Structure formats: structure tokens, C-alpha cells
Amino acid sequence: MSRYEYIAPCHFGLEAILKREITDLGYEIVSVEDGRVIFAGDESAICRANMFLRTTERVLIKVAKFKAETFEELFQKTKEVPWEQFIPKDGKFWVAKATSIKSKLFSPSDIQSIMKKAMVERLKGVYKLEWFEESGNEYPVRVTFMKDEITIGIDTSGVSLHKRGYRKLISKAPITETLAAALIMLTPWNKERVLIDPFCGSGTFPIEAAMIGARIAPGLNRSFLAENWTDLIPKKAWYEAVEEANDLILHDIEMNIQGYDIDGEVIKAAKQNAEVAGVDQYIHFQKRSVSELSSPKKYGFIITNPPYGERLEEKSAMPPIYQEIGQAMKRLDTWSCYLITSYEDAEKHIGRQADRNRKIYNGMLKTYFYQFMGPKPPKR
């Protein structure tokens, strides 16, 4: 068994959730950094992490970390990396993404081309080749510079892991699946409790909640780039991960999850997405506005991503929406409400200060996850 270190990137502010997920899978945490968690495991960890982690964007094999302040230094140190341990003779390799923060080397395209040259030089020497056909499997490299220190990883996922394969139809301004899952996991919601998303859009929150409740692995309906790397990972490891995922699913459970939106077309799309995800039996979708939000049930959860009013002309429509959310919360006075928004005046118009508030970066957008806690249900 080989032992590797892996890099799992996530949204800034949600590292603790990802760390918990990785620990639950049984892997050792090496370090937690801004926007990523580094962990250690054998080669089967590639299969299991891709299959089961709900809150990471991708899984990378960490191949090197070093300091480089000049392009010459970057070239020489990249050339020292034992690339042949990962990339076969016919492998197709390139630096797919380079990001640089507070570093002397900051041009992504220069970093990419210099590193590719260094990789070619290294592999030419090892494989005694003058030219690489690159006709085989793909090995995209992703690098991050932080204060002149570079971390290099080879991507095992391919298409980002937030693309679970169920969201064929997308409504306006969707929230990613990985972010939705992380936010649900930040709340005390569990499958026994009612959950309503009154601004459900294409259904991401309800679908992710249903998948969490039914223990459906997020990677079950898709494929991963590293599935073809038979020289690194035995095919058997992938079959075992799929088998483990299928064994974990809870089939005969009941959940009360509801998704509402005022746009009927969007509700249709959400229903189709839930079908593809295999969770349509757990979710009730309905065309309904937030002003009609009510429930006879007690101690439920609202988890939602209301409109932000990002464009100036939408700003005037925001106060009434947030006032309606506040009124709904008054009607559902034993419920807890969690909402993510970049709208600065959310609390003011809801008419209540959040019990907790977390800053989360959704891409470049600074958003707040407002947490309004309801009372705890009485012990049975």
C-alpha cells in the first residue's frame, strides 16, 4: 500500500466541516489551511474521498511543496519532483490552474508554461524520450502560491465534485451542491426533522438534505478522472468504493423535506433534478411564495438561499422579501431558520438579530450565513 498526502479544497470558512467529513472516513488530518484540508491515506483514499466527501471541490494528490521567488527557482525545483511516480510515458499532463496570493511570482500563464517545461525536462531524462505523444490518460496539475510557497497537486476528480450529475436544469443564481451540503451540515438538522426551503430554485438544498438523510454518496452518479489511472489505483478499489456506497444507503426511511418557489418552471426543474438524484420520493416541491409559508409541525428547519439583490435595480425589491421572511419566522416560532445571503440589511428587515453569523466566501462574493435558533424540542 502506498501512502500519499491529499489536498481537499473547500469554501473559505467551511474547513471545519470538511475536516470532520475526512475524519469520519477514517483518514488522518495533516493540516487545515485557509480554504483546504490536507489529509493522508493509501491509494484507495482517492476513490473513497471522491465518492463520499460532500463539501470538497476536488481531491488532489499532493506531490510537492516548496518556496520559489524566481522563475529559475520554480523551474529547477519543479524539475526535482519525481513526476514519473505519477505520470506514465504516454500520460497527458499540463498545469490546468495556477493561483498566486501575496507572492513574487504572480502571472498564472508564466507559472503554467515554466512548470510544464520543467516537467517535460524531468520526464525526458527518466523515460529517455525526446518527445511526448501525450495520447494516454490525463494528469492535470493544479498549483497554489501563497507567500512565495507553492503547493502542487495532481487532480484526481476531473469535473469539479460539486457537479454531482443530478442538476441538469439550473435556475437563476444557483448555490453549488458542495456549499449547500456544507451549510446543511453546519446546522443540527437531521432526517427526523422537517426541512423547508422557501426559495428552493433548482432544488439544491432539499436534494442535498435528502441525500444526506438517505446516506446517498454524492459521487455515486458520476465518474472521476482517476478511474483510468490503473497504474496508480487498482480498478478493484473503485468497485469497492461503489459497493460501500450502495451498502450505506437507507432505503425505507421517511423524510419531510419541502421546496417552494414562486416560479412554476423552476419547480418543474427542481422535481426533475430530484428524480435524477434518486430522492424525489422524499421531497415535496410546490409553487408557493414565502408569504404563504406555514406549517402545523413544530421544531422544523428553514434552510434557504433567498435573493441577494446583487444588481442595483433589484435592491429595491429586497426589503419586502426579507420582511416576509421575518413574518414567516414569527408564525413558525419554534422553528430554526438558516439563510445565506450577501444582502447587508437582511437582519434589519427580518426584524431580528441572528443568534450566529458566519462569513463565507461563495466564489469572490462575501456572504453571511445567518443562524436564527429556535427552541430545542422537548426530550421524548
Side-chain angles (χ1 to χ4, degrees):
M1 282 286 194
S2 304
R3 184 183 148 90
Y4 297 109
E5 282 192 6
Y6 299 102
I7 306 163
C10 63
H11 286 274
F12 282 96
L14 295 173
E15 298 84 0
I17 295 285
L18 176 55
K19 179 187 170 187
R20 190 173 79 203
E21 275 202 283
I22 293 167
T23 309
D24 288 349
L25 275 184
Y27 298 115
E28 178 204 333
I29 303 292
V30 176
S31 64
V32 178
E33 298 164 17
D34 279 346
R36 64 182 179 196
V37 179
I38 317 275
F39 67 100
D42 60 14
E43 55 272 273
S44 76
I46 295 174
C47 317
R48 293 183 71 235
N50 274 299
M51 180 64 69
F52 293 109
L53 293 178
R54 295 181 194 278
T55 65
T56 185
E57 293 304 312
R58 54 186 69 248
V59 178
L60 308 162
I61 302 176
K62 182 179 165 190
V63 293
K65 185 174 187 170
F66 53 77
K67 210 168 168 117
E69 296 185 1
T70 65
F71 283 123
E72 179 56 27
E73 202 177 357
L74 176 65
F75 181 87
Q76 294 303 342
K77 287 182 174 173
T78 302
K79 198 177 155 187
E80 284 166 20
V81 176
W83 293 105
E84 64 281 359
Q85 286 177 16
F86 307 97
I87 301 170
K89 255 184 201 171
D90 65 347
K92 181 181 181 188
F93 56 95
W94 73 103
V95 180
K97 188 164 189 199
T99 47
S100 174
I101 301 160
K102 299 179 184 161
S103 301
K104 293 184 182 64
L105 302 180
F106 57 83
S107 155
S109 56
D110 290 340
I111 293 168
Q112 286 166 302
S113 63
I114 280 155
M115 288 183 71
K116 168 82 184 196
K117 277 189 192 122
M119 290 165 77
V120 168
E121 282 306 303
R122 166 87 188 194
L123 293 174
K124 261 184 180 176
V126 176
Y127 291 133
K128 309 282 184 275
L129 286 173
E130 270 312 298
W131 187 73
F132 289 92
E133 242 182 51
E134 300 200 37
S135 55
N137 291 323
E138 297 186 350
Y139 298 83
V141 174
R142 297 173 83 92
V143 300
T144 331
F145 262 100
M146 183 68 180
K147 295 181 181 162
D148 300 319
E149 197 165 49
I150 183 174
T151 307
I152 306 174
I154 299 178
D155 179 19
T156 70
S157 307
V159 174
S160 173
L161 293 180
H162 76 261
K163 296 210 160 87
R164 316 272 204 231
Y166 67 74
R167 201 158 75 178
K168 304 288 183 241
L169 299 149
I170 294 183
S171 65
K172 50 204 174 294
I175 188 165
T176 66
E177 294 83 334
T178 39
L179 179 54
L183 295 177
I184 294 164
M185 289 158 83
L186 266 179
T187 77
W189 177 81
N190 65 58
K191 64 181 188 303
E192 312 294 321
R193 309 276 288 271
V194 190
L195 171 62
I196 295 180
D197 178 357
F199 300 95
C200 74
S202 47
T204 312
F205 272 129
I207 293 169
E208 287 296 319
M211 287 173 75
I212 290 168
R215 294 210 310 229
I216 297 170
L220 203 50
N221 280 335
R222 55 160 289 166
S223 57
F224 309 99
L225 189 64
E227 281 176 47
N228 303 318
W229 299 357
T230 41
D231 45 337
L232 273 182
I233 315 160
K235 265 273 183 253
K236 185 169 164 265
W238 289 104
Y239 294 133
E240 282 168 358
V242 171
E243 202 175 318
E244 183 186 353
N246 281 319
D247 289 346
L248 280 172
I249 298 173
L250 301 172
H251 291 283
D252 36 7
I253 55 166
E254 282 181 24
M255 286 188 273
N256 188 342
I257 300 173
Q258 301 169 38
Y260 305 140
D261 203 282
I262 48 169
D263 183 337
E265 287 305 305
V266 162
I267 288 291
K268 261 188 221 160
K271 281 181 179 168
Q272 281 173 280
N273 290 340
E275 270 169 43
V276 176
V279 293
D280 50 315
Q281 69 273 35
Y282 304 121
I283 310 170
H284 171 69
F285 286 111
Q286 195 179 355
K287 182 184 168 182
R288 188 192 266 201
S289 81
V290 71
S291 61
E292 301 170 81
L293 183 56
S294 65
S295 171
K297 298 269 193 240
K298 283 184 171 257
Y299 308 109
F301 284 76
I302 295 168
I303 304 179
T304 193
N305 172 34
Y308 295 174
E310 277 311 296
R311 292 195 292 276
L312 275 176
E313 68 272 15
E314 294 170 355
K315 277 274 186 269
S316 60
M318 291 304 107
I321 291 174
Y322 285 84
Q323 283 155 10
E324 283 178 352
I325 294 171
Q327 282 152 11
M329 281 162 60
K330 276 189 187 139
R331 291 193 294 276
L332 298 167
D333 57 358
T334 61
W335 285 49
S336 299
C337 176
Y338 296 82
L339 54 98
I340 182 167
T341 179
S342 67
Y343 182 54
E344 301 277 350
D345 293 330
E347 288 170 306
K348 180 177 132 189
H349 294 298
I350 285 170
R352 180 177 156 190
Q353 205 175 356
D355 298 294
R356 284 201 203 129
N357 178 8
R358 259 183 122 107
K359 210 185 286 174
I360 291 162
Y361 283 87
N362 185 4
M364 288 288 108
L365 188 65
K366 183 167 77 175
T367 60
Y368 300 93
F369 190 48
Y370 293 106
Q371 308 173 43
F372 300 92
M373 314 294 196
K376 281 201 167 80
K379 291 236 183 321
R380 289 188 204 164

